[in-house]
Amino acid sequence: MSATIEFVIDGKEIQGQPGQTILEAAQQAGVYIPRLCYMKGLVPHGSCRVCTVLVNGRPQSACTQPVAPGMVVENNTEKVTALRRNIVEMLFVEGNHFCMFCEKSGNCELQALAYRLGIAAPKYPYLFPTRDIDMSHPDVFIDRNRCILCGRCVRASRDVDGKHVFDFVGRGPHKRVAVNAEVRLADTNLDVRDKAAEACPVGAIMKKRVGYAVPIGQRLYDHKPIGSEIENGKK
Amino acid sequence: MSDNLATVVRDICRKYGRERGRLMDIVRAVQEKFGCVSGPAMDLIAKEVGVRRVQVASVVTFYAFLSEQPKGQVVIRLCNDIIDQMAGAPDVARAFEEELGISFGQTTPDGKFSLEYAACIGMCDQAPAALVNDVPVTELSTDAARRIVRDLRKHMDPSRLVHRLGDGNNAHELVHAMVMNNIHLRGPVIFTPANRGEAIRKALAMTPAEVIRAVKTSRLRGRGGAGFPTGMKWEFTRAAPGDRKYIVCNADEGEPGTFKDRVLLTELPDRVFAGMTIAGYAVGAAEGILYLRAEYAYLQRFLEDLLDKRRAENLLGQNICGKAGFNFDIRIQMGAGAYVCGEETALLSSAEGSRGDPKNRPPFPAQKGYLDCPTVVNNVETLACVTKILEAGPATFSEHGSPGSTGTKLLSISGDCKVPGVFEVPFGIKLSEVLKLAGGEDAIAVQVGGASGQMIAREEFGRTICFDDLATGGSVMIFGPERNVLEVADKFMEFFVEESCGYCTPCRVGNVLLKERLERVIAGQGEPADLEYLQDLGQTIKTMSRCGLGQTSANPVLTTLKNFRATYNALVKKRTDGLQPAFDLGAAVGEAETIIGRKSEHAHA
């Protein structure tokens, strides 16, 4: 089964492999589809909905939708971008994101995506939830104010580290990431070298004692917008 | 105590084979025994079943009927959907609070009573209603509420609250409920006399392919609301590779205002089980699961007993009706209080013992469903139709209804009408005729399809109930002239905020934002731009959400914006001073004024 699957994204012809998702095939062809909950090497989650594209006019998450011959995909259009902007704005107002003093600033995928999509300030009212911080672990902390519930830590710990340190509890607006202990991260077997410790796209799960180590000007997204590494052919 | 906990939890886990897939049954049993699934209990369950504690917590915290904190010996869950509210639930709520001396969400200090609100419990035709543990109490008044508490204080036995029995099988000793069926119109398909076993025998005389062809010929479409052709679903499942296949009956009737599946399961459960068995034969499945919502737990013993009877009559089990090699059995999977589990993939997650999160599609359940095996998920009513189709033939079925929507539809009608209850109507019936049947001609608005459906205005009462016009799983809620349509919409938004699983961003966050702005408009603090804001936000939720719940959750706002625009327009106003209507300058500077000890000249100019 090495036959290629030909389809179109925004007028550009793409050749995908059987079993690939739209996001993977696009990435291989140098087309960036914005995403947050997707992470290479993890089972796609399809939860943030940022990677939503229109497939023959129907919305589908690109990270979970397999490629099919002849599909016409709308990605970087005004209509799709406007919808994505709304989703990213929702994530900003849902939590407490203070970029100006966050250690993740400049390396944060949420922040970088907001810049890329041209969000200056969200049009939605801030919800200012009360959320907790867990500093118990010697090497890693959790700041739930910044959590966007993408589940990357959950999947990384479960599927890569084989530890299942994290999982979701509660539902709806009460949903949060919990740890495999009564309360504290320190009471789990998380190790700072685990995949889960570096899977967070925002500043919710951070390694201690490395904050602000990279000076402004040298951070991941200081010069080029998120996604440009894909568009420039580097994967 | 802790030894006791360890022993009991271990026994419960062993009863369910220490299977991870039976986690729902395990945590339900622990909850029933101890009034909660505490941290230590979660540790014990995790060890027995071979999962992490956080996985158990993940399940326990998802469902409304499960809790980490201890609940009272008796939990009173008052239904607070819009219909119950209109019928007087707020007064009943106050009576319960006064009599118990606690507020909703609290437990009495002696640990005897907890008071909670429930989303629709499927009793809108006899509202206000509540569940006392598993026991439904209906047509409540403030006096009834007080009497219930006083009686319970004497005996603490909810089953003794049933002073009168309902009609039909509600009076059956294994049901023993005061619930009424309220069947007001019996049509030619569902509510007809049946001969137990006839449909199965006829099906078994055919090949599985012929059974599927019969269902296709009838043009039966799914009765849950989405209307997918049933025969096609079966064909996909039959064709899917895999030795083990499953038939799942979706009896998680949670759409506000729906209760027809409750009546079907009370009066015609044989038809439903027969439909499952026929489906099993058609697609090559040996196991069926009836996923029953927790709110209908009072029907569980009755249904289990019926399954036993069917086994004894060889309508279930090995070589059914003498057909060599056809083996099929059914188990009942109880839910634990989550509307989203009515979504078929969320239901499968729940039946597998997990949170009721919907799954990514593809793969579809017909390819990979329950435990990753090809699975048919059909609604209760759909399966009852299947039995009729096999009994009377597809042509007899499809002569009723309209070309695109054959057969009849059960409607659950509630709200401002003379005779709320269940009506079997032919597809294609006009909404105005439905209103006449139920005595609700005064309506100013009708919500068709439950909270996720559409709010229809008078001008459109000529529209028809069918898949091509007003599709509905069966809920028809009638609102009379004294009702405020936007407040109804707001109530539905409250429902969606609470019932969203929280998996995807637009549904989890968007609905909170939608409700906030709708309430601002209702309070007279909105401006014209807020209506565009609502439209854009609602459309984002509809387009970007992952499952059917999210995709329809903005409908209360989107359909009222479309059909009741004048009501919105009358509420919003443009301020002449350039400030936002929601902005109250006086209030904004109030705190500062208190601190400095004088009034602002600008704010009070």
Side-chain angles (χ1 to χ4, degrees):
Chain A
M1 287 286 282
S2 59
T4 57
I5 292 178
E6 293 182 10
F7 67 105
V8 173
I9 301 182
D10 295 337
K12 183 179 171 177
E13 297 210 358
I14 309 278
Q15 299 192 329
Q17 309 299 318
Q20 265 185 332
T21 62
I22 295 174
L23 187 142
E24 288 164 343
Q27 178 144 340
Q28 206 163 47
V31 173
Y32 172 67
I33 299 178
R35 79 291 298 267
L36 282 171
C37 70
Y38 171 86
M39 187 179 200
K40 203 174 174 196
L42 301 182
V43 186
H45 205 227
S47 65
C48 74
R49 311 311 286 174
V50 168
C51 75
T52 301
V53 290
L54 299 180
V55 180
N56 303 328
R58 288 193 54 179
Q60 304 280 5
S61 50
C63 72
T64 61
Q65 188 69 21
V67 292
M71 52 168 49
V72 177
V73 178
E74 225 179 284
N75 172 43
N76 190 18
T77 62
E78 189 40 54
K79 184 181 174 187
V80 174
T81 302
L83 290 163
R84 287 179 182 154
R85 210 177 277 135
N86 288 352
I87 297 295
V88 172
E89 291 189 17
M90 284 180 195
L91 290 171
F92 267 102
V93 302
E94 184 191 25
N96 300 309
H97 298 276
F98 299 99
C99 298
M100 65 296 273
F101 53 75
C102 178
E103 304 92 313
K104 192 80 172 193
S105 206
N107 299 309
C108 171
E109 294 179 30
L110 179 70
Q111 179 194 44
L113 200 52
Y115 281 131
R116 176 161 178 138
L117 296 175
I119 298 170
K123 58 183 160 294
Y124 304 129
Y126 288 99
L127 299 177
F128 295 123
T130 304
R131 297 201 187 157
D132 56 16
I133 297 173
D134 182 346
M135 298 295 285
S136 63
H137 193 281
D139 302 316
V140 177
F141 70 86
I142 308 176
D143 185 346
R144 291 192 173 83
N145 289 291
R146 305 165 179 170
C147 179
I148 58 169
L149 302 168
C150 67
R152 276 161 52 163
C153 57
V154 176
R155 287 171 283 153
S157 181
R158 183 189 65 202
D159 302 333
V160 181
D161 305 328
K163 291 184 174 180
H164 215 133
V165 169
F166 304 100
D167 209 336
F168 291 116
V169 296
R171 87 174 176 214
H174 314 291
K175 183 174 178 166
R176 57 193 279 277
V177 170
V179 298
N180 185 36
E182 203 166 323
V183 183
R184 305 182 331 146
L185 184 61
D187 299 329
T188 70
N189 56 349
L190 180 82
D191 187 276
V192 68
R193 289 158 298 184
D194 288 348
K195 178 84 170 169
E198 55 186 41
C200 187
V202 291
I205 296 178
M206 298 282 289
K207 293 177 185 175
K208 289 184 174 176
R209 299 177 295 277
V210 294
Y212 315 111
V214 181
I216 295 175
Q218 295 172 30
R219 301 171 307 179
L220 209 48
Y221 306 117
D222 276 343
H223 299 289
K224 288 188 177 148
I226 188 169
S228 48
E229 69 284 5
I230 290 167
E231 290 160 325
N232 296 337
K234 282 179 283 175
K235 287 192 282 285
Chain B
M1 173 65 195
S2 69
D3 280 354
N4 179 36
L5 179 76
T7 315
V8 174
V9 168
R10 197 182 324 120
D11 288 348
I12 288 172
C13 291
R14 291 195 178 167
K15 183 181 164 198
Y16 293 103
R18 301 167 71 188
E19 270 183 62
R20 195 236 176 283
R22 302 303 294 274
L23 200 50
M24 279 288 280
D25 302 284
I26 293 169
V27 290
R28 270 188 61 95
V30 172
Q31 175 82 34
E32 195 179 320
K33 194 84 191 164
F34 297 99
C36 65
V37 187
S38 62
M42 288 197 265
D43 278 326
L44 289 162
I45 294 169
K47 204 169 290 170
E48 282 291 323
V49 180
V51 297
R52 314 283 167 154
R53 173 202 163 114
V54 73
Q55 289 174 273
V56 183
S58 175
V59 173
V60 171
T61 55
F62 189 86
Y63 297 95
F65 284 41
L66 303 171
S67 59
E68 280 182 88
Q69 300 306 318
K71 287 275 160 67
Q73 197 181 329
V74 170
V75 181
I76 299 172
R77 293 187 170 89
L78 179 65
C79 183
N80 79 335
D81 66 24
I82 181 69
I83 302 296
D84 285 69
Q85 296 236 313
M86 283 161 31
D91 291 335
V92 173
R94 265 194 301 281
F96 274 127
E97 286 183 326
E98 283 168 18
E99 201 62 33
L100 288 167
I102 54 171
S103 303
F104 276 80
Q106 294 182 332
T107 299
T108 52
D110 60 8
K112 284 190 170 164
F113 294 93
S114 290
L115 205 46
E116 292 183 359
Y117 283 117
C120 187
I121 62 169
M123 305 281 167
C124 286
D125 56 337
Q126 41 216 297
L131 288 171
V132 182
N133 290 350
D134 288 347
V135 177
V137 287
T138 58
E139 293 179 337
L140 292 171
S141 59
T142 51
D143 285 349
R146 291 180 198 282
R147 201 168 50 240
I148 284 170
V149 174
R150 284 174 200 155
D151 285 355
L152 283 170
R153 282 221 167 90
K154 280 180 222 148
H155 52 65
M156 292 306 280
D157 178 3
S159 69
R160 287 173 64 184
L161 297 172
V162 182
H163 295 302
R164 58 173 169 83
L165 290 170
D167 56 347
N169 283 335
N170 289 300
H172 190 286
E173 57 174 352
L174 293 176
V175 180
H176 190 72
M178 65 169 73
V179 177
M180 295 294 291
N181 289 323
N182 292 329
I183 304 168
H184 297 311
L185 186 63
R186 291 166 190 271
V189 174
I190 302 283
F191 290 116
T192 50
N195 183 4
R196 182 141 94 193
E198 188 189 340
I200 292 186
R201 284 188 196 95
K202 284 191 173 166
L204 293 180
M206 300 156 77
T207 66
E210 284 167 348
V211 173
I212 292 179
R213 201 173 313 133
V215 175
K216 285 177 87 170
T217 307
S218 74
R219 282 174 284 142
L220 172 65
R221 295 171 68 173
R223 264 41 180 171
F228 193 83
T230 306
M232 210 189 283
K233 194 182 260 190
W234 289 14
E235 199 164 59
F236 290 155
T237 312
R238 176 162 187 82
D243 295 336
R244 285 175 69 185
K245 296 178 184 179
Y246 290 92
I247 307 298
V248 174
C249 172
N250 183 346
D252 193 45
E253 177 181 54
E255 190 65 54
T258 324
F259 43 82
K260 49 98 186 166
D261 288 345
R262 159 177 54 82
V263 175
L264 269 179
L265 291 168
T266 308
E267 293 307 317
L268 298 166
D270 263 316
R271 289 243 170 131
V272 180
F273 291 142
M276 291 177 74
T277 312
I278 293 164
Y281 176 67
V283 309
E287 287 174 71
I289 298 170
L290 177 89
Y291 186 97
L292 185 64
R293 68 188 305 226
E295 291 80 351
Y296 296 167
Y298 73 99
L299 291 172
Q300 189 184 359
R301 280 203 307 152
F302 169 68
L303 295 173
E304 300 274 13
D305 179 65
L306 189 64
L307 289 175
D308 281 340
K309 289 200 174 90
R310 295 183 70 88
R311 285 179 196 115
E313 292 172 31
N314 195 220
L315 294 169
L316 286 175
Q318 307 287 310
N319 306 319
I320 290 172
C321 295
K323 182 87 177 177
F326 176 49
N327 309 326
F328 189 78
D329 211 332
I330 296 171
R331 78 169 172 94
I332 295 175
Q333 172 66 60
M334 292 305 302
Y339 165 75
V340 69
C341 291
E343 198 279 341
E344 61 175 7
T345 61
L347 183 150
L348 294 175
S349 298
S350 182
E352 289 165 357
S354 298
R355 298 162 63 78
D357 285 337
K359 301 178 182 214
N360 286 317
R361 269 165 298 206
F364 290 88
Q367 306 156 281
K368 274 186 168 194
Y370 180 66
L371 303 177
D372 283 345
C373 300
T375 303
V376 165
V377 185
N378 281 150
N379 177 265
V380 173
E381 187 183 344
T382 310
L383 290 161
C385 289
V386 162
T387 304
K388 185 69 186 182
I389 289 164
L390 268 294
E391 237 169 50
T396 313
F397 178 84
S398 59
E399 73 189 23
H400 305 288
S402 62
S405 312
T406 53
T408 59
K409 183 78 195 81
L410 293 188
L411 299 180
S412 318
I413 303 183
S414 65
D416 295 320
C417 61
K418 292 195 185 77
V419 280
V422 174
F423 296 72
E424 182 181 354
V425 299
F427 268 116
I429 191 173
K430 281 193 175 128
L431 190 52
S432 55
E433 294 169 60
V434 170
L435 292 173
K436 203 177 286 172
L437 285 174
E441 295 97 324
D442 289 350
I444 55 156
V446 181
Q447 180 81 13
V448 181
S452 68
Q454 310 180 50
M455 184 72 92
I456 304 298
R458 274 200 90 89
E459 305 82 74
E460 296 194 90
F461 286 178
R463 291 177 64 181
T464 55
I465 304 278
C466 65
F467 292 110
D468 307 313
D469 188 6
L470 292 174
T472 170
S475 169
V476 175
M477 292 186 260
I478 303 174
F479 300 102
E482 69 277 26
R483 308 297 177 191
N484 180 331
V485 173
L486 300 197
E487 277 172 15
V488 174
D490 185 41
K491 192 73 198 159
F492 290 149
M493 288 319 301
E494 179 186 311
F495 173 78
F496 282 120
V497 167
E498 281 307 311
E499 295 299 330
S500 164
C501 76
Y503 192 100
C504 76
T505 312
C507 178
R508 183 184 71 239
V509 188
N511 284 320
V512 173
L513 300 172
L514 203 55
K515 179 169 175 288
E516 181 268 347
R517 194 55 51 101
L518 175 64
E519 285 173 0
R520 188 193 279 190
V521 170
I522 290 173
Q525 296 177 333
E527 55 185 314
D530 285 325
L531 304 189
E532 278 138 58
Y533 172 102
L534 287 173
Q535 181 71 37
D536 179 64
L537 178 56
Q539 200 57 49
T540 302
I541 297 168
K542 198 181 177 85
T543 311
M544 302 297 267
S545 288
R546 182 165 167 265
C547 81
L549 187 157
Q551 287 155 11
T552 55
S553 62
N555 278 353
V557 170
L558 291 175
T559 68
T560 49
L561 270 174
K562 181 164 168 270
N563 299 333
F564 294 86
R565 192 69 179 199
T567 314
Y568 280 97
N569 285 338
L571 284 166
V572 293
K573 47 191 173 284
K574 195 121 193 111
R575 264 174 59 162
T576 48
D577 54 11
L579 298 175
Q580 290 180 355
F583 182 69
D584 180 347
L585 182 57
V589 300
E591 200 177 343
E593 286 177 334
T594 314
I595 294 166
I596 60 171
R598 66 174 172 83
K599 291 275 179 197
S600 155
E601 287 164 29
H602 291 292
H604 301 280

